[in-house]
Amino acid sequence: MISSIPAVLYLRISTFSGFSVSDFLIPAVKDSLRSLSTFTFPNSVKTIGLSAFSNNEALETVDFGRGVTDIGSYAFENCPLLLNVTIPENVTYIGSGAFYQNSALESITIPAGVTSILQNTFYGCKNLKTVAYGGDIQNLTVNAKGNDFFTNAIN
């Protein structure tokens, strides 16, 4: 089994066709992300992928940088120390369950540039007291049944 690949800059579709990606580099990277208390995204990062920081029990602060436009599904699921999140102006999309089960999350600032929020984004965020949206709520596309992106949320 290959456990690491030195100096990988990018991977193309089908690079690991026929293999389980979990057998490669990803677990080591994901495990190291789970122990970070602070993370700053380089400006070159455009998308935060599926479950990128899920179950990080140490994450307290995230600086999204200036490049992030998409926050993937369950990207920050179950990060129990994450209290406040300010999403930068360049983000337009927040995936399903992006902040799912962040029971300590108290406030989130969402800029006008966010035009899509998918279901269960803030599910289980029981201490969420403040949601500040900088845009016109009429222009926000919510891919959810009713407004279930706040199910079991908001104190």
Side-chain angles (χ1 to χ4, degrees):
M1 173 172 60
I2 298 172
S3 61
S4 66
I5 303 169
V8 172
L9 298 178
Y10 62 90
L11 301 174
R12 294 188 184 268
I13 295 173
S14 301
T15 299
F16 298 118
S17 180
F19 295 94
S20 168
V21 173
S22 64
D23 291 341
F24 294 94
L25 186 63
I26 306 307
V29 172
K30 186 139 176 75
D31 288 344
S32 68
L33 293 178
R34 285 192 180 129
S35 62
L36 295 173
S37 62
T38 301
F39 190 83
T40 300
F41 285 94
N43 293 333
S44 59
V45 172
K46 304 291 183 216
T47 300
I48 302 169
L50 173 71
S51 300
F53 289 84
S54 67
N55 299 308
N56 180 323
E57 296 182 5
L59 190 65
E60 297 176 27
T61 307
V62 176
D63 178 344
F64 291 94
R66 294 186 312 247
V68 173
T69 58
D70 297 343
I71 299 173
S73 296
Y74 301 96
F76 297 96
E77 170 193 13
N78 193 32
C79 295
L81 299 181
L82 193 59
L83 295 177
N84 304 296
V85 173
T86 299
I87 296 173
E89 290 294 327
N90 40 314
V91 172
T92 59
Y93 172 88
I94 302 174
S96 301
F99 297 95
Y100 188 89
Q101 294 289 12
N102 283 330
S103 57
L105 187 63
E106 294 179 353
S107 71
I108 186 154
T109 301
I110 304 170
V114 172
T115 55
S116 293
I117 298 178
L118 299 189
Q119 68 274 7
N120 297 321
T121 301
F122 303 104
Y123 182 96
C125 297
K126 297 181 187 290
N127 285 312
L128 190 59
K129 295 176 179 77
T130 305
V131 177
Y133 178 60
D136 181 349
I137 199 78
Q138 302 300 322
N139 295 329
L140 183 63
T141 300
V142 178
N143 182 5
K145 297 174 191 146
N147 66 351
D148 74 351
F149 54 93
F150 286 116
T151 300
N152 290 333
I154 303 191
N155 191 355

